Amino acid sequence: MEYKFIDLFAGIGGFRMGFESQGFKCVFSSEIDEHAKEIYKLNFGDTPFGDITKLDENQVPNHDILLAGFPCQPFSIAGEKKGFCDTRGTMFFEIERIIRAKKPRVVVLENVKHFKNHDKGRTLKTVLFSLENLGYTVSWEVLNAKDFGVAQNRERTIIVASNNGIKFDFSSLHKQEPVFIKDILEENGDFEYLDKSEYTIIDNPKVQKSGLIFIGYRNKKIRTKGVRENTIHLSRVHKQPNRIYDSNGTHPTLSSQESSGRYFIYHNGRVRKLTLKECFNLMGFPDDFKLIGSKAKLYNRIGNSIVVPLVQEIAKEVKKQILNKEQMLNQKRTVYKEMSLFDYDIDYSCDKTVKYGT
């Protein structure tokens, strides 16, 4: 059976790519950023609808799964009752009205790691309450991309909801052995190396719990006013673009705010920037994924995307745990119903009910 999905806040199509790889079919997409829409069309052949607030929810095609990596926004507290929040005026409200109109069987939402703590936890609670109020069974988890075959420490809040009473089990997701920066690097290219005078390599770097190996920093001009004696180097490394990571470890989260691509690694005894292609590798995009636009815009796009292999694993388990299980339950109900219809043979001549097998 072919299951259909819609792709909201689609970006450059990471969600779509992950679900299509598992046999799902996209029937609608929406994205407001013009550059992202260009990349989306270049790779998938269709242009996403623009401003979702202008979308008539009743015109959205019927679908089985709703996907959305929506912006993190606070909800306003409505009335005197503590904990009740109003979703109107937020992007989640746009998702909510589509769910209410189209009633998809499954909803998969993605947001940043700290979404669970946003606005003192009220934002997450409001989303969960809203989905439950619409008749969905909801579960959520913070997942790390590094557990799904990419060399990036990227934690994201994932919410999965179903309207058939089946609770998604995140513990069933298949996690992979670690992949390191050195595994995703290009062998040849126009690499931007730093001169040895431009950076400092520290002694005895340690592998962090996240898999990162902070090995040095760029010798950039820094603020010295108010800095304690012998701690100037700490001020240098406070900013992520100044840090250097060993290629034998994982990479920190790619940022949507980093338009210059200042991601520096220490590899084969030299320090260089990651290439744009390598940044896309860190997100699990395939080699044939097409790019268009300036480097600055592309760095913004990749920092805003979702990790494809992570989505693939979620898609596989959504099909297995929820959709296929629902289909099996429906088949059992049909068989039971047919059996119950023919369980008794009525002998109208003597007005006596005779049960088969007697």
Side-chain angles (χ1 to χ4, degrees):
M1 181 176 179
E2 185 178 60
Y3 297 109
K4 300 174 182 178
F5 69 89
I6 65 171
D7 190 13
L8 306 180
F9 307 96
I12 59 176
F15 245 140
R16 176 170 178 165
M17 187 164 286
F19 267 76
E20 283 189 338
S21 73
Q22 300 303 309
F24 294 84
K25 181 182 180 181
C26 184
V27 294
F28 178 82
S29 59
S30 175
E31 169 58 47
I32 196 169
D33 186 272
E34 291 300 326
H35 180 235
K37 288 167 69 174
E38 288 178 31
I39 297 176
Y40 198 97
K41 182 178 181 180
L42 188 64
N43 285 279
F44 302 105
D46 51 79
T47 303
F49 182 90
D51 187 351
I52 195 170
T53 65
K54 304 294 194 298
L55 174 66
D56 180 351
E57 62 268 32
N58 295 305
Q59 298 302 310
V60 175
N62 292 332
H63 52 280
D64 301 292
I65 309 106
L66 180 149
L67 308 176
F70 65 106
C72 184
Q73 297 170 289
F75 299 112
S76 60
I77 303 298
E80 296 180 2
K81 187 179 179 183
K82 257 190 173 181
F84 176 74
C85 298
D86 190 352
T87 65
R88 288 174 297 180
T90 68
M91 290 300 101
F92 178 72
F93 173 74
E94 307 304 330
I95 297 171
E96 195 177 15
R97 65 186 179 89
I98 294 172
I99 293 173
R100 186 176 286 107
K102 307 307 293 188
K103 298 177 174 58
R105 295 151 79 178
V106 182
V107 175
V108 182
L109 306 177
E110 180 260 356
N111 216 298
V112 295
K113 172 189 176 182
H114 297 295
F115 182 73
K116 61 186 177 69
N117 301 320
H118 186 256
D119 195 21
K120 299 181 180 179
R122 284 192 288 263
T123 304
L124 175 61
K125 287 180 182 177
T126 300
V127 169
L128 300 180
F129 172 81
S130 299
L131 290 170
E132 289 170 354
N133 199 41
L134 289 169
Y136 286 81
T137 301
V138 189
S139 57
W140 68 276
E141 190 71 67
V142 174
L143 300 178
N144 197 326
K146 74 181 181 67
D147 296 325
F148 298 91
V150 297
Q152 183 186 179
N153 184 65
R154 188 182 188 88
E155 295 180 282
R156 287 295 182 267
T157 302
I158 304 294
I159 300 170
V160 180
S162 70
N163 67 358
N164 59 9
I166 298 174
K167 191 177 183 70
F168 186 80
D169 181 10
F170 281 95
S171 68
S172 294
L173 294 173
H174 174 67
K175 295 184 178 181
Q176 301 180 31
E177 290 298 313
V179 175
F180 305 110
I181 298 172
K182 63 183 181 182
D183 300 321
I184 59 91
L185 299 180
E186 295 184 276
E187 293 184 5
N188 301 296
D190 186 19
F191 301 132
E192 296 183 47
Y193 287 101
L194 294 182
D195 186 87
K196 287 188 176 182
S197 64
E198 296 180 278
Y199 62 87
T200 297
I201 298 299
I202 65 174
D203 296 324
N204 303 316
K206 297 179 181 179
V207 180
Q208 299 174 29
K209 186 178 179 180
S210 61
L212 276 64
I213 305 175
F214 169 68
I215 197 169
Y217 51 88
R218 294 197 295 156
N219 299 329
K220 301 292 290 181
K221 289 183 179 180
I222 55 173
R223 176 177 60 84
T224 57
K225 187 176 181 180
V227 177
R228 288 183 298 172
E229 188 177 358
N230 298 322
T231 63
I232 294 177
H233 66 291
L234 296 179
S235 297
R236 277 201 183 96
V237 302
H238 178 69
K239 291 187 176 181
Q240 187 71 34
N242 287 338
R243 300 177 188 176
I244 300 169
Y245 292 92
D246 195 310
S247 65
N248 290 302
T250 54
H251 196 277
T253 302
L254 298 182
S255 170
S256 61
Q257 306 301 315
E258 180 49 57
S259 59
S260 299
R262 292 172 295 178
Y263 303 117
F264 292 92
I265 61 165
Y266 182 75
H267 182 65
N268 290 338
R270 301 180 70 183
V271 174
R272 69 170 177 86
K273 278 177 66 173
L274 286 177
T275 67
L276 191 58
K277 174 67 173 60
E278 289 165 346
C279 289
F280 275 82
N281 290 346
L282 284 174
M283 298 296 289
F285 281 84
D287 292 338
D288 60 355
F289 191 76
K290 304 178 184 70
L291 306 178
I292 188 173
S294 69
K295 277 191 174 184
K297 286 184 177 181
L298 288 168
Y299 279 122
N300 288 145
R301 295 292 80 73
I302 196 62
N304 263 317
S305 187
I306 189 170
V307 171
V308 177
L310 169 61
V311 178
Q312 290 173 333
E313 183 60 23
I314 293 171
K316 184 177 75 174
E317 285 300 318
V318 162
K319 181 183 286 188
K320 178 181 176 182
Q321 293 186 37
I322 300 176
L323 298 173
N324 287 354
K325 187 178 287 187
E326 179 187 61
Q327 191 176 8
M328 288 173 59
L329 290 172
N330 287 338
Q331 288 173 348
K332 287 181 180 178
R333 291 191 190 102
T334 301
V335 171
Y336 178 78
K337 186 176 181 181
E338 290 174 350
M339 288 177 63
S340 64
L341 285 173
F342 297 100
D343 198 23
Y344 291 91
D345 180 29
I346 309 296
D347 184 354
Y348 293 99
S349 63
C350 60
D351 193 25
K352 183 175 66 174
T353 301
V354 181
K355 193 173 184 10
Y356 279 131
T358 60

